[in-house]
Amino acid sequence: MATRHLVRTIVLQSLYEWDFYKHQNDLLKIVERNVNEFGPGIDEPDFVWRLVKGVIEHLTEINAIIEKAAPEWPIDQIAIIDRNVLRIGLYELLYADKNEVPPKVAINEAIEIAKNYGGINSPKFINGVLGTVFRQMVEQKDNTNS
């Protein structure tokens, strides 16, 4: 398993636990415990923290984007795994350095994680939401360039 893929799964696991307990537990302690347990010696520990902090810093905007892209699914009715895969994917798609994580990589990684940890329909749902957001990004870029 590639280091960044492992990092994303650790971040997903941490966000899942934090979300499951309604944000009552200290997310940074959860992440630290999970990194020590599941990723000792990770090549890029800073990538873990960039992802976690990025998702949390943009959580309100990310949740609003999810609700807009999937209006028939209120955020609290989306499975916890899917909700947090989307949060990671959207953070990488919208806010991360595009040279570090190109948009198509962000989408593909989210789909792969959904295949491994989500339900049978998770990959399709994740692809649909992230694909919609990506198309909107491309359209906005095209409109500003024309």
Side-chain angles (χ1 to χ4, degrees), residues 70-142:
E72 63 284 351
W73 288 97
I75 196 87
D76 60 341
Q77 290 183 10
I78 297 172
I80 297 175
I81 285 287
D82 295 352
R83 182 167 59 223
N84 286 292
V85 169
L86 283 171
R87 287 171 173 161
I88 294 167
L90 285 167
Y91 167 73
E92 288 193 295
L93 186 62
L94 299 170
Y95 303 105
D97 180 351
K98 304 295 182 263
N99 294 319
E100 184 178 34
V101 182
K104 294 202 177 190
V105 171
I107 293 169
N108 287 337
E109 277 293 311
I111 293 167
E112 286 304 311
I113 289 171
K115 285 179 185 175
N116 290 330
Y117 299 100
I120 194 162
N121 295 318
S122 295
K124 187 173 156 185
F125 178 65
I126 300 299
N127 186 41
V129 172
L130 294 180
T132 297
V133 172
F134 180 68
R135 282 188 297 282
Q136 290 171 348
M137 287 171 53
V138 170
E139 287 172 12
Q140 286 177 347
K141 187 176 180 183
D142 288 348

Side-chain angles (χ1 to χ4, degrees), residues 3 7 11 31 35 39-52:
T3 298
V7 165
V11 171
V31 173
V35 166
I42 281 181
D43 295 347
E44 297 180 89
D46 55 318
F47 186 62
V48 174
W49 298 109
R50 277 198 312 275
L51 271 181
V52 170

Side-chain angles (χ1 to χ4, degrees), residues 8 18 21 23 26 29 35 40 45 48 63 65-67 84 120-122 143:
R8 288 180 183 97
W18 180 69
Y21 289 110
H23 309 174
D26 184 341
K29 286 182 182 176
V35 166
V48 174
N63 285 348
I65 291 165
I66 293 169
E67 289 177 342
N84 286 292
I120 194 162
N121 295 318
S122 295
N143 290 339

Side-chain angles (χ1 to χ4, degrees), residues 24-36:
Q24 298 300 309
N25 297 355
D26 184 341
L27 178 59
L28 299 182
K29 286 182 182 176
I30 294 169
V31 173
E32 197 171 294
R33 183 191 69 231
N34 287 336
V35 166
N36 290 335

